[in-house]
Each structure stands twice: as C-alpha cells, then as structure tokens.
Amino acid sequence: MPAPAYAFAVFLGAFLLFQVQPLLGRYILPWFGGGPSVWTSCLLFFQALLLAGYAYAHGVASRLTPKWQGRLHMGLLLVSLFALPIDPDAEVWTGQSYDNPTGTIMLLLLVTAGLPYVILSATSPLLQRWFHWRHPDRSAYRLYALSNAGSLLALLSYPFVVEPLAPVRLQAEMWSWAYAAFVLACGWCAWGVSRRVAARPEPEAEEDGPPPTASELGWWLALSACGSALLMATTNQMSQEVAVVPFLWVLPLSLYLLSFILCFESDRWYRRRPWAFVLALTVPMACVMLATGGVAPLGVQIAVFSATLFAGCMACHGELALARPHGRHATMFYLILALGGAVGGLFVAVLAPRMFPAYWEYPLSLAAACLLTLYLGVRRGGWSLSPAGGAFAPPPALLLALFAVGYTFSVQAAAPHLAVSRNFYGVLQVTSAEDANGPLRKLTHGRTEHGAQYLDARRRFLPTMYFGAGTGAELAFQQHPARKAGKPLRVGVVGLGAGTLAAYGRSGDVFRFYEINPAVIEFARTQFSYLSDSPAKSEIVPGDARVRMEEELEAGHPGRFDILVVDAFSSGAIPLHLLTGEAGEIYAQHLKENGLLVFHITNRFLDLTPVLTGMAQRLGMTALRVESTPKPELGVSAATWMILTRNQEFLRDPVVLACAEVESGADSLDWTDNFAGLWQALR
C-alpha cells in the first residue's frame, strides 16, 4: 500500500474526528442551558472515546497478526455505518435532568456518534503502526503531524466556513457522507494490510529499542493530563465571560493541536529553555487577568489566556515529543497520551466542580505546567536551582511564575462569602457589602453581580442594580397600560436571579419565573426576601426557559403574559439560544397581543441592540432601547434594556417616549438557531 493512501486516510479521519466535536456541541448546546459546562462535558466525552480508540488500536496491534488486524478493522468500519446519520432527537434528550446533565450529555453523544468516533480515534495510531511495519526505514510520526494538521483544519474551518454556511442538520448530513468516504479510504488500507503483506513477519522488538519503563509511562501520563486540563480550564475561563460559541471552543483546541503539530513534526520547534521563558512570562499575565476580575478588554483577555495556554501546551507536548519511543511502541505511547487527556478532562469536568467552590482548576493547571517544566528542566536539561544559574535562568523565572499563581489562588480562596454553590452551571456566591445607604447582600454568578438587596427594613423592598428606578424594567412595569388602569399583571421572567423583579408585584399579579440553575432557586428563597415580601403570587418553573416554554405551548398552555422579561445571563456570558429569531417566536406565542417583550442586555463586550432589533422586525414589533444612568442613592446601576411590543398605547405614552429611543433597524441582525455571529455584536 503506497504512502499516499495512508496519508489520505489519516488526514480525512482526523478532519472528521475534530469536525464532529464542535458540530455536536453546537447541536446540543441549546438543549442543556447553553452554558460553558455543556462544551466541557462534550470535551470529556471526546477525550474518553479517544482513549477507547487508542486502547483498541494498541490492543489489536499488539495481539493480532496484520491479517486479522485488517479484517477486524474492516468489519468495524462496516458496522459503524449503521450509526449514520448523526442526528440526535431533541424530544428524546431534552428536559430529563437539570441538576447535573453531564451524564445525559455523554449518553446522548455515545448513542449518536460513539462507534464512529472510536473508529476515527483509532485511525491515526493504527495506520501509523501499519505504515511502520510496511516501511520500517521511514518515520511514522510524520503521519501523526499530518493527523494533527487535519484536526486543526477541521477546527478552523468550522466557525468560519461550515457554521455560517450550513444549518446544523445539513452539517450533520454532510459529515455523515464524508464519514462514508472515510470508511472506503480506511477500508482500502485495511484490505491492503490483510491481503498484500499478511505473510511478512513483524520486526523483532529489539530492533526498535526496549519497551518504556514505568517511570516513562508516568511522565507521559502527567504531561498529557496537564495539557488536557489546561485546555479545558482555559476554555471554561474564556467562555464564561462572553458566550458559549464554537469560536471560543475552537481557538483553545486549535492552539492545543498546533502545539502537537509543531512538537511532533520536528525537534527544531521545541527548545526547553526558550519555551520555559515564554511560560514564565505568560503565566503571571494570566494571573493578572484573574486578579483584576476581567476588567481588561475582551481582545486582551483572549490574547493573554490563549498565549498562556499555547506556552503551557508547548512545554508539556515538547517534553512528550522528546520522550517519544521508537515506532514499535507508538500505540502504547498514544494510549498513554489519550489516558492522560481523559484524566485531565475528568479532573476539570467532573472532579473540580465537586471539589472546589470556585474555578480553582485554572490556576492549579498553570501551577502544574510550571512545576512539570521546572522539574524536567532540572532533571533532563541540567538546569540549576542555585543563584549561580543567573538571574534570568529558567528556574528563577518559573519560580516567580509559581509565586504569581500561588498569590492569585490565595486571593481567590480567601474571598469572603455568606453562601457559595458550584454546579454544572457555574459558581454562585452570596456576599455581604455596604454602601452609603447601609448594608446589603449581593448575588454573584462568576464575576457578574445578578442582584442585591438592602438589609434595612425601609429599603429591603426596593428593586436595585439593573432593575431599579429609571431602568427599562421600571418603565415596562409602571407604564404598562394594564398597570395604569389598575388591572393585575401576568408576568413571565426568564432568569430568577435574586428575585428582584418580584418587587414590582402587586396584589393579584402573578409572576412566573423560569430558572435552570437549582442553586439560584435555593438562594433566591433562602438568602433574599424579594419573593416572600412581594404581594404578588410567585411561581418558579425549573429547567431551561426555552424548553419549558415549548413544552407549555405543545400542551396548549401559553403563558398569556402581559410582560415577559428575559434576563438569563450567566457571569456575563450570553445564552445565544435565548436570543435567536426562533426563540423570539416562542416568546411571542406566550405574550398577549399587546404584551411587552423586555430584554436586559447590559454587557461589557457585546452590543445586542441589532440582534433584538432584528427579532422585532421578524415579529412585527417596534423595538425601544432604554439606557439608564446610575443612581447610587437608590443602589441602582447603569443598565441597558430593550422593549419589543406592538402595544400602540404604550408606544405613544409620553413618559415612554421621553425615556426610550425607537430603534430604526438599519443595522439589525437576524440571529437564528443555525447561525448567531458573535463577532457581529462585539463592541
């Protein structure tokens, strides 16, 4: 079998392997709340099945003759075709579990694409083994670099080519057809192994050097786990502050793969001392981003976190490349790398949320990268920890980086709080504070404050922060024609927070809150009193608001809301599936004919006005923008709200016209479930 056949099969397999990751993540993201942990759970699944694929490759390569290796693989390739097309059913998987849907996500992915993914994972190491067997005088590690190049192309093409041009369902169909082509290409290689060269014996083990020692296996595992943990922790760190979108998944994963490509393509790309300096430089910069609470511009944050990730991955993967074994032991090498990747993923996605009250896994991953680089530099590179090594030697620089990590970690760990909860949806904290008006209690999700209540008996009923006097929320409630006529209101709220909006309730009103995070529901009931103090009746519907609203429509029970407020931000990140045109159509069906659809869009990085203007045009509504200024004497923050409505009485109200600006729609954006261009909304 000529080398080009192997190259094509390896490249196409790697392309499909990493194309399906953002595809399926994008597919199921709206079904589980649209938070960063959905993608983290997907990454854990992909790491686990990568391990299964590498284990299969190592097992068949070490225990079966080439003839039976080829036959077995051809059989599995044919069986995997029965899994096509990859098209999960939303009705089967949505609405099952909201406390911690990680298990549901992984089962969904296993049923949808489990066997094809295992086959794709096994392709690179197995075909490299066959190639080495056929061409023992040629390096099979070039195929590994080619595999990573195919993976990188798949990742980069998804957010810029595939996602903008094709609906998600069409993407799944295209992938399925491409996988069928891969089965033919890989099957051709397997047939060649089983038929054309089956009689040739494998080289003796001693021709390729001794097997790896237990110590070597341990270092492979540690370096791989560190790189994987750093990848997933960095992705979490970036996604939680902006939006959970393929670009912010693809960028870290692309840098992770690029480090593999460079390190395994040639030894010239990794030099221990220069990359140690880069790591020592970038880690403190990342610590500054953490310590300052994300106040830096978005581009700066992404650049710093990305540079730190790349430096850490180059250090870990460069050491792996230097320690790689001879070709005969390649499948064992890849198996340990995959095991390390799964261990790192398990740490970030499963263990860290249960062990740590905050996102401590990111600084811990940084510390691990510095420690591994420092230790291996001393052990393998002859570095000295003594001052005689020079002020700018890697050990002192890395020690300073470790100090920066330790300081940042200690600041995070020492932050005072009244209550804290970490679950699938992020870190939620209740803290005490005091301003000129007296003591108050705040609800914080990640780095973003989502509600506050004064403890003083005279002020505890006041709506504060983004919801108080002069805001779009107050305008909607106070100037609604039904309210002015003295009639009770029926209000829907997407996102409970501290329950602040219940302060606008009057006797006879009904407030129906949709909240996906169980911890938010608990804190709103136990740490704040807006719900219990309100004379209105409060109902809380657990689960994703869009899914629950769709279920209510299917059951013939629309909300018939006078006002529907959408305020479902999580630590500044925008759940895009709640802002698409299709979501707007669901909201409209729950509104009364003259109802108000109200969005809270205060955001440091994104201007969502064009998005909601586009939604208003789709729904035949007028869009109003309400900008409010801070009122410290009332505990009110600056806020931006959008009100969409057909209610002409409200639109002609002089108070409304004085406070709100009608949006022309000249720069409107039509976001859909198939495509929502995050970069279109960047400030």
Side-chain angles (χ1 to χ4, degrees):
M1 185 65 58
Y6 283 90
F8 177 75
V10 166
F11 183 85
L12 180 59
F15 182 89
L16 294 175
L17 183 71
F18 279 84
Q19 184 85 172
V20 76
Q21 294 186 21
L23 192 163
L24 286 177
R26 176 71 173 83
Y27 210 122
I28 70 172
L29 183 66
W31 302 355
F32 300 96
S37 293
V38 177
W39 176 242
T40 304
S41 299
C42 290
L43 273 180
L44 174 60
F45 170 83
F46 297 137
Q47 294 278 22
L49 259 67
L50 186 71
L51 172 61
Y54 281 13
Y56 160 74
H58 176 68
V60 300
S62 59
R63 296 181 179 274
L64 299 180
T65 64
K67 176 180 179 179
W68 286 105
Q69 290 178 35
R71 290 183 176 182
L72 175 61
H73 203 62
M74 283 190 290
L76 289 178
L77 285 167
L78 292 175
V79 171
S80 69
L81 291 174
F82 288 96
L84 304 181
I86 54 166
D87 186 17
D89 187 348
E91 293 184 3
V92 174
W93 299 103
T94 55
Q96 294 191 15
S97 172
Y98 286 102
D99 287 348
N100 188 0
T102 300
T104 303
I105 292 172
M106 298 190 72
L107 181 60
L108 182 162
L109 295 172
L110 180 65
V111 172
T112 302
L115 184 55
Y117 196 89
V118 170
I119 295 295
L120 290 169
S121 300
T123 296
S124 179
L126 192 58
L127 266 63
Q128 284 182 65
R129 179 64 178 267
W130 293 347
F131 181 86
H132 173 70
W133 182 46
R134 290 292 315 281
H135 308 283
D137 56 330
R138 299 171 65 179
S139 173
Y141 284 104
R142 287 295 182 91
L143 288 178
Y144 185 60
L146 181 65
S147 169
N148 283 306
S151 303
L152 183 61
L153 178 63
L155 289 174
L156 295 179
S157 65
Y158 186 82
F160 301 113
V161 179
V162 178
E163 187 190 20
L165 299 180
V168 178
R169 189 174 295 273
L170 178 59
Q171 294 174 29
E173 293 177 1
M174 293 167 58
W175 188 93
S176 299
W177 281 108
Y179 181 80
F182 160 77
V183 167
L184 291 176
C186 191
W188 175 252
C189 294
W191 180 83
V193 168
S194 65
R195 294 291 302 273
R196 297 185 179 182
V197 294
R200 180 174 176 173
E202 288 207 66
E204 295 297 327
E206 52 268 20
E207 295 179 15
D208 289 322
T213 65
S215 176
E216 289 176 315
L217 295 178
W219 284 115
W220 295 349
L221 181 68
L223 289 165
S224 177
C226 182
S228 173
L230 194 55
L231 162 68
M232 297 179 69
T234 301
T235 306
N236 252 352
Q237 192 67 38
M238 293 201 301
S239 294
Q240 68 175 311
E241 292 302 323
V242 188
V244 189
V245 292
F247 178 79
L248 290 182
W249 308 339
V250 163
L251 178 60
L253 192 52
S254 298
L255 294 172
Y256 177 82
L257 282 175
L258 180 60
S259 67
F260 267 116
I261 293 171
L262 294 177
C263 293
F264 283 86
E265 194 279 332
S266 172
D267 291 342
R268 69 179 181 273
W269 295 109
Y270 177 69
R271 293 289 184 271
R272 186 175 288 120
R273 187 175 293 270
W275 281 106
F277 279 126
V278 175
L279 183 63
L281 175 65
T282 56
V283 166
M285 294 170 62
C287 292
V288 170
M289 294 296 105
L290 294 177
T292 55
V295 298
L298 174 61
V300 173
Q301 291 192 54
I302 291 177
V304 169
F305 288 133
S306 297
T308 306
L309 170 66
F310 187 63
C313 287
M314 283 297 296
C316 292
H317 300 157
E319 293 296 335
L320 282 171
L322 294 178
R324 63 186 182 270
H326 292 283
R328 180 179 176 84
H329 308 295
T331 54
M332 171 61 79
F333 180 64
Y334 295 135
L335 177 61
I336 298 300
L337 262 60
L339 178 60
V343 169
L346 186 69
F347 168 70
V348 173
V350 177
L351 298 181
R354 289 164 172 78
M355 294 169 58
F356 308 137
Y359 289 106
W360 293 354
E361 57 269 27
Y362 183 65
L364 288 175
S365 299
L366 295 179
C370 292
L371 283 172
L372 283 171
T373 303
L374 180 61
Y375 180 81
L376 291 175
V378 172
R379 185 181 181 207
R380 298 176 179 174
W383 295 351
S384 172
L385 292 174
S386 68
F392 298 98
L398 286 170
L399 289 173
L400 288 175
L402 281 168
F403 174 79
V405 174
Y407 177 77
T408 303
F409 181 80
S410 65
V411 170
Q412 288 186 334
H417 56 262
L418 297 173
V420 63
S421 173
R422 182 177 181 184
N423 59 17
F424 183 83
Y425 304 101
V427 178
L428 199 69
Q429 289 185 330
V430 179
T431 57
S432 294
E434 188 168 351
D435 62 15
N437 302 311
L440 68 158
R441 184 169 291 179
K442 292 184 177 182
L443 179 67
T444 305
H445 197 158
R447 296 173 178 171
T448 303
E449 295 176 349
H450 286 273
Q453 184 176 26
Y454 286 107
L455 302 182
D456 183 82
R458 296 171 301 169
R459 296 179 179 271
R460 62 184 292 181
F461 305 103
L462 288 176
T464 59
M465 296 191 66
Y466 314 111
F467 314 100
T471 67
E474 185 201 42
L475 185 68
F477 280 98
Q478 302 297 359
Q479 300 306 124
H480 192 287
R483 172 70 88 208
K484 294 170 67 176
K487 299 178 181 179
L489 294 177
R490 184 166 177 82
V491 180
V493 182
V494 177
L496 173 60
T500 310
L501 288 174
Y504 288 106
R506 297 180 181 177
S507 180
D509 292 347
V510 176
F511 278 65
R512 187 173 178 84
F513 293 92
Y514 297 87
E515 177 55 55
I516 195 172
N517 190 342
V520 172
I521 298 175
E522 179 186 354
F523 284 176
R525 286 172 168 165
T526 61
Q527 301 294 327
F528 300 88
S529 64
Y530 283 120
L531 295 178
S532 58
D533 290 343
S534 176
K537 177 184 177 182
S538 294
E539 303 171 346
I540 298 179
V541 181
D544 182 81
R546 179 168 168 178
V547 172
R548 291 301 187 223
M549 286 184 168
E550 287 179 309
E551 293 173 348
E552 290 169 353
L553 291 175
E554 291 171 358
H557 302 300
R560 295 195 55 77
F561 298 125
D562 296 288
I563 300 174
L564 177 56
V565 180
V566 181
D567 176 36
F569 302 154
S570 294
S571 184
I574 306 298
L576 298 183
H577 72 292
L578 298 180
L579 292 171
T580 63
E582 293 87 345
E585 292 171 355
I586 294 171
Y587 302 148
Q589 294 178 68
H590 278 274
L591 277 175
K592 293 180 180 178
E593 178 62 27
N594 289 322
L596 307 182
L597 182 53
V598 185
F599 289 84
H600 177 211
I601 62 170
T602 306
N603 192 274
R604 288 172 292 172
F605 304 126
L606 306 176
D607 179 12
L608 297 175
T609 300
V611 178
L612 294 177
T613 303
M615 182 186 292
Q617 292 176 341
R618 175 188 280 237
L619 301 177
M621 296 180 174
T622 299
L624 304 176
R625 179 183 172 99
V626 183
E627 292 279 2
S628 58
T629 57
K631 293 180 174 59
E633 69 278 8
L634 298 175
V636 177
S637 309
T640 304
W641 290 78
M642 291 284 289
I643 302 175
L644 281 56
T645 186
R646 302 186 189 96
N647 192 319
Q648 294 302 313
E649 183 178 352
F650 180 83
L651 293 171
R652 291 193 296 265
D653 188 314
V655 176
V656 173
L657 293 176
C659 298
E661 178 183 351
V662 178
E663 293 294 326
S664 64
D667 57 348
S668 63
L669 297 172
D670 184 22
W671 279 6
T672 67
D673 287 346
N674 287 320
F675 177 68
L678 174 70
W679 300 112
Q680 296 173 312
L682 280 177
R683 293 189 181 278

